[in-house]
């Protein structure tokens, strides 16, 4: 799978069916370009907000069959315009992605887990739903599982990226979790390691893992090579969590990452994702989540 810039999402890798690669690439370039407007370079917040407004206006123009600004025509909207009607991709999902990037510019903390999950529902879940559209999969259970996987990937990215988000002033640990462990947002932003912080991160990792396992049976609903790619995505996220646990949850001090040496373990984990085993893990994860709630 390709992780590149828009972390943790598969992008036209060799596992994807060739006929779907243009559509997957179009979705990727749309998301990546919006992400770049929100995060890359040294533009002011006001300029980033204006750029995202212009981006949203160009999306609306494309959907209406009108000419846009032309700024992103070649790199984004020309390709997107070709695949939108072909696969009937829902425009609200694209607008949801933009809204999440806009939110990152003005919101730097979250009160509780439901508020953070609302962000994930716009920053991550639309990608999974758009990809399911390419395969003509729209049943409620598949969408629910896709949301669980994508939200989990987003959370894992947060627990992996404390050292990157801290300098940006972005705090994705819910305030309710911080209070329960006697910590402040300043502790996390400063990457101040402590026993309490490690206990907090352990709990956050368990949350992300439970979501991932709930969504994992989706790999058996996706046909062909794409189902194997999704296995790699799921196992890649779980592997990051395993690395955080192996470092005793000290991800405030060191950023865990996947490398070539992880490939054999990932392959073996993908091969072991039999239907009955995956469903049992999902059921166990759901039960444990209900007990915690």
């Amino acid at each position: 799978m390709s992780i590149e810039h828009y972390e943790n999402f598969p992008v036209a890798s060799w596992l994807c069916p060739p006929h779907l690669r243009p559509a997957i690439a179009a979705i990727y370039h749309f998301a990546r370009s919006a992400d770049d407007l929100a995060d890359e370079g040294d533009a002011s917040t006001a300029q980033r907000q204006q750029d995202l407004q212009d981006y949203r206006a160009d999306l609306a123009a494309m959907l209406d069959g009108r000419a846009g600004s032309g700024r992103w025509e070649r790199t984004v909207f020309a390709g997107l315009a070709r695949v939108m009607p072909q696969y009937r991709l829902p425009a609200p999902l694209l607008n949801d992605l933009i809204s999440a990037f806009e939110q990152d510019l003005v919101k730097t903390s979250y009160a509780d887990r439901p508020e953070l999950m609302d962000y994930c529902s716009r920053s991550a879940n639309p990608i999974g739903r758009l990809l399911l559209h390419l395969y003509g999969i729209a049943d409620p259970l598949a969408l629910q599982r896709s949301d669980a996987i994508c939200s989990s990937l987003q959370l894992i990215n947060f627990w992996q990226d404390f050292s990157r988000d801290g300098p940006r002033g972005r705090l994705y640990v819910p305030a309710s979790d911080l209070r329960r462990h006697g910590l402040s947002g300043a502790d996390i932003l400063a990457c101040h390691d402590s026993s309490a912080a490690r206990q907090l991160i352990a709990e956050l990792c368990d949350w992300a893992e439970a979501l991932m396992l709930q969504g994992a049976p989706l790999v058996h609903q996706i046909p062909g090579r794409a189902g194997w790619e999704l296995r790699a995505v799921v196992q890649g996220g779980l592997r990051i969590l395993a690395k955080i646990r192996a470092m005793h949850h000290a991800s405030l001090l060191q950023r865990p990452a996947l490398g070539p040496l992880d490939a054999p373990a990932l392959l073996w984990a993908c091969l072991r994702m039999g239907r009955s085993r995956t469903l049992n893990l999902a059921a166990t994860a759901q039960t444990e989540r209900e007990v915690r709630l």
Side-chain angles (χ1 to χ4, degrees):
M1 64 180 174
S2 170
I3 297 184
E4 287 186 350
H5 185 83
Y6 200 73
E7 290 92 342
N8 292 326
F9 292 112
V11 184
S13 78
W14 65 274
L15 280 173
C16 294
H19 73 281
L20 291 182
R21 289 176 189 170
I24 294 174
I27 294 169
Y28 170 77
H29 288 302
F30 175 85
R32 172 174 177 168
S33 296
D35 192 17
D36 284 349
L37 292 175
D39 271 343
E40 297 300 310
D42 54 4
S44 66
T45 298
Q47 182 60 56
R48 294 182 191 279
Q49 289 174 316
Q50 183 60 56
D51 286 342
L52 286 171
Q53 287 179 22
D54 294 344
Y55 198 72
R56 188 188 291 276
D58 274 10
L59 172 62
M62 183 211 74
L63 294 171
D64 292 341
R66 297 181 284 107
S69 69
R71 181 175 173 185
W72 301 280
E73 177 65 20
R74 181 181 62 82
T75 56
V76 176
F77 292 110
L80 194 61
R82 287 192 291 270
V83 303
M84 285 286 290
Q86 181 180 359
Y87 296 101
R88 298 181 181 179
L89 298 179
L93 295 177
L94 300 174
N95 278 296
D96 281 348
L97 286 170
I98 297 175
S99 77
F101 298 130
E102 290 173 329
Q103 180 170 311
D104 268 335
L105 297 176
V106 296
K107 187 173 180 62
T108 57
S109 62
Y110 291 83
D112 51 33
R113 292 188 179 188
E115 190 174 63
L116 184 58
M117 288 297 286
D118 173 72
Y119 171 77
C120 293
S121 73
R122 289 173 289 115
S123 69
N125 298 4
I127 296 292
R129 289 184 172 234
L130 287 166
L131 294 178
L132 285 184
H133 260 81
L134 302 184
Y135 293 96
I137 297 174
D139 69 88
L141 181 58
L143 294 174
Q144 179 184 341
R145 287 170 170 171
S146 173
D147 289 347
I149 290 172
C150 291
S151 289
S152 175
L153 288 170
Q154 181 74 88
L155 294 177
I156 292 168
N157 188 230
F158 293 153
W159 318 149
Q160 177 187 25
D161 272 357
F162 287 120
S163 60
R164 293 184 177 182
D165 291 330
R168 294 176 176 175
R170 291 181 182 172
L171 179 64
Y172 294 104
V173 179
S176 56
D177 289 274
L178 288 168
R179 287 194 298 271
R180 191 167 59 256
H181 289 271
L183 296 166
S184 69
D187 294 324
I188 305 302
L189 290 174
C191 294
H192 180 239
D193 185 46
S194 66
S195 176
R198 294 193 186 198
Q199 291 173 16
L200 167 66
I201 294 170
E203 186 179 290
L204 296 174
C205 287
D206 288 345
W207 174 28
E209 181 181 60
L211 276 173
M212 184 66 81
L213 294 178
Q214 288 171 37
L218 181 63
V219 304
H220 302 294
Q221 294 181 254
I222 307 297
R225 293 183 297 178
W228 284 95
E229 182 170 29
L230 183 56
R231 292 185 188 214
V233 171
V234 168
Q235 293 301 331
L238 293 174
R239 184 74 173 172
I240 290 292
L241 292 177
K243 284 178 173 284
I244 294 175
R245 291 185 177 116
M247 58 197 292
H248 306 291
H249 303 98
S251 53
L252 286 171
L253 301 178
Q254 179 182 350
R255 183 181 185 273
L258 299 179
L261 295 179
D262 293 294
L266 283 173
L267 177 59
W268 177 243
C270 290
L271 292 171
R272 294 183 69 235
M273 290 184 75
R275 185 180 297 272
S276 60
R277 174 182 172 82
T278 306
L279 289 172
N280 288 338
L281 288 172
T284 300
Q286 179 64 29
T287 301
E288 290 177 350
R289 181 173 182 270
E290 290 172 353
V291 169
R292 285 195 296 271
L293 292 176

